[in-house]
């Protein structure tokens, strides 16, 4: 059974940094796409960063230069490093994963604005940024 558990959220002041971690258990696929989503109250869900099993990454324009997604296959963890936080980054951040060769492709995994609900997703970790 696949389980994704996020941690690392918190309340920070603008300009600060956070490191979000997603611990994956039971996830033993070779081809996959993993994504960090966020959703603020009253707003639509937004995919902010993705990475595939070949470490190809993609970022939403709103976070380029401030967010960095990475993974540690040995530890089965997905990380989102967030620097220079802005109040607009306040949201619930959720990691999600979709296994399968057809979803691993750069075309699918990098198309952040068109990603559907992925097969596996965690419960989320809250990030609150004050000005």
């Amino acid at each position: 059974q696949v389980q994704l558990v996020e941690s690392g959220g918190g309340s920070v002041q603008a300009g600060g940094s956070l490191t979000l971690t997603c611990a994956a258990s039971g996830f033993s696929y070779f081809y996959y796409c993993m994504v960090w989503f966020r959703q603020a109250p009253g707003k639509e869900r937004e995919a902010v960063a993705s990475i595939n099993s070949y470490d190809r990454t993609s970022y939403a324009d709103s976070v380029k230069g401030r967010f960095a997604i990475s993974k540690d296959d040995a530890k089965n963890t997905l990380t989102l490093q967030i620097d220079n936080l802005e109040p607009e980054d306040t949201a619930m951040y959720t990691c999600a994963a979709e296994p399968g060769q057809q979803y691993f492709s750069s075309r699918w995994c990098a198309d952040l604005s068109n990603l559907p609900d992925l097969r596996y997703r965690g419960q989320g970790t809250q990030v609150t940024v004050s000005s």
Side-chain angles (χ1 to χ4, degrees):
Q1 182 177 356
V2 174
Q3 191 172 19
L4 303 177
V5 179
E6 302 92 339
S7 62
S11 297
V12 297
Q13 289 192 326
S17 298
L18 282 173
T19 302
L20 308 184
T21 300
C22 174
S25 59
F27 192 83
S28 59
Y29 300 94
F30 184 80
Y31 293 108
Y32 56 83
C33 174
M34 298 194 79
V35 182
W36 281 100
F37 290 93
R38 69 182 180 185
Q39 187 165 20
K43 294 188 176 181
E44 291 188 358
R45 184 200 68 181
E46 175 188 22
V48 295
S50 69
I51 188 168
N52 72 3
S53 41
Y54 280 12
D55 288 335
R56 291 174 183 160
T57 60
S58 182
Y59 297 93
D61 288 342
S62 59
V63 306
K64 280 181 180 176
R66 300 188 300 118
F67 287 26
I69 188 171
S70 62
K71 60 181 177 67
D72 186 327
D73 293 328
K75 297 181 179 179
N76 284 334
T77 57
L78 177 72
T79 298
L80 185 68
Q81 175 67 37
I82 309 176
D83 296 321
N84 194 20
L85 277 155
E86 303 172 350
E88 294 73 23
D89 296 321
T90 295
M92 178 71 74
Y93 285 72
T94 304
C95 68
E98 185 71 52
Q101 195 165 1
Q102 66 271 42
Y103 306 114
F104 142 91
S105 72
S106 295
R107 174 176 292 183
W108 192 90
C109 192
D111 191 8
L112 299 182
S113 60
N114 290 304
L115 288 174
D117 287 335
L118 272 60
R119 187 183 310 182
Y120 304 113
R121 55 187 179 272
Q123 295 297 311
T125 185
Q126 177 68 37
V127 172
T128 303
V129 185
S130 58
S131 57

